[in-house]
Amino acid sequence: MQSVVAERAERLSKHRAIAAIVMGTVLAATQTQRMDASGAGPITWIVTGVVVAIFLLWASGLFRNTVLRGILNDEGSDVSRRRSLMIGFWNMLATAVVCYILTYVKDYGPRDAIQIIMSVGICSALISFGVAERISARQ
Amino acid sequence: MTERLLNGLRAERERLNLTQADLAQRVGVSRKTINTIENLVFSPSALLALKIARDLDKRVEDLFWISNED
């Protein structure tokens, strides 16, 4: 029984890592595409927010049993999660600085700047989490 | 001078003919956590280190030690 749970946790953890990388990449691609158009509207942001929220809830193992959730969110995953949050945070700060500098050479509104800053932060956090988890799983 | 936490987890685990998955299951973590500890990617908490030591029937200081590097 216990080994079945462990195998399931291993499989889910692998799926979660791949899903984080795919999601981060798709999000980055769609956000970049929208920058060429008229920017993301409120509906787009709501849809993006809901998709990210559903992913985070699924990834946290909230709908799984306690043992499985415990293994999915063990110390190793916690380290990857904290590291990716830190990467996302620093990338957001760096992007904000770049956006500030860009205002001297290009005319764009705060909405565009917020979109760029948030996209970079969220995407880099998701991708770095997935990559860290994949690397950790390698023997 | 840099201090690093080293461990003899892999050697001890292999001596007992346990796989990473076996040990992970016994202490209630994922296999990749055991893998990252063995590869010195991250240092386990005191709680996890004690659990591993207890499970392998070793003293924690026999499994984990500090290395001083210049």
Side-chain angles (χ1 to χ4, degrees):
Chain A
M1 176 65 188
Q2 194 74 348
S3 70
V4 175
V5 174
E7 276 171 28
R8 200 152 163 235
E10 176 94 20
R11 208 172 45 245
L12 278 169
S13 176
K14 192 178 166 189
H15 291 168
R16 178 173 68 176
I18 294 167
I21 296 171
V22 170
M23 199 167 168
T25 311
V26 169
L27 209 61
T30 50
Q31 294 295 322
T32 310
Q33 225 173 13
R34 277 188 208 123
M35 287 308 296
D36 295 336
S38 55
I43 303 292
T44 315
W45 273 116
I46 291 168
V47 171
T48 307
V50 168
V51 171
V52 172
I54 289 171
F55 170 74
L56 291 176
L57 287 174
W58 170 77
S60 68
L62 195 71
F63 309 116
R64 313 280 176 186
N65 69 54
T66 320
V67 180
L68 189 61
R69 195 166 59 230
I71 298 173
L72 271 176
N73 299 316
D74 67 348
E75 275 184 34
S77 295
D78 198 40
V79 168
S80 302
R81 187 175 296 122
R82 269 186 278 137
R83 199 174 290 158
S84 65
L85 278 174
M86 201 173 67
I87 289 170
F89 173 75
W90 284 112
N91 280 340
M92 276 176 124
L93 284 187
T95 312
V97 171
V98 171
C99 282
Y100 173 76
I101 294 166
L102 277 178
T103 56
Y104 288 102
V105 289
K106 195 174 174 357
D107 193 28
Y108 62 93
R111 206 173 284 166
D112 292 327
I114 291 167
Q115 187 184 346
I116 297 168
I117 293 166
M118 285 194 64
S119 301
V120 170
I122 295 168
C123 295
S124 60
L126 281 171
I127 294 170
S128 60
F129 175 75
V131 170
E133 286 285 279
R134 293 293 292 152
I135 291 170
S136 303
R138 270 189 218 145
Q139 299 238 28
Chain B
M1 193 170 72
T2 317
E3 288 183 333
R4 285 186 79 196
L5 184 70
L6 302 180
N7 68 73
L9 189 55
R10 188 186 299 270
E12 190 55 29
R13 178 178 60 75
E14 285 174 351
R15 192 182 68 79
L16 294 168
N17 281 325
L18 289 171
T19 63
Q20 286 182 341
D22 292 334
L23 182 60
Q25 198 181 311
R26 286 161 65 154
V27 294
V29 293
S30 62
R31 185 199 56 79
K32 66 180 161 45
T33 294
I34 299 296
N35 188 47
T36 47
I37 295 170
E38 285 185 357
N39 293 328
L40 309 178
V41 175
F42 100 98
S43 303
S45 66
L47 180 69
L48 182 56
L50 285 163
K51 273 177 159 180
I52 293 170
R54 187 181 60 190
D55 195 79
L56 297 177
D57 201 20
K58 283 271 185 182
R59 292 188 313 162
V60 75
E61 54 268 45
D62 292 335
L63 272 181
F64 299 92
W65 61 89
I66 298 166
S67 153
N68 294 322
E69 290 172 2
D70 291 325

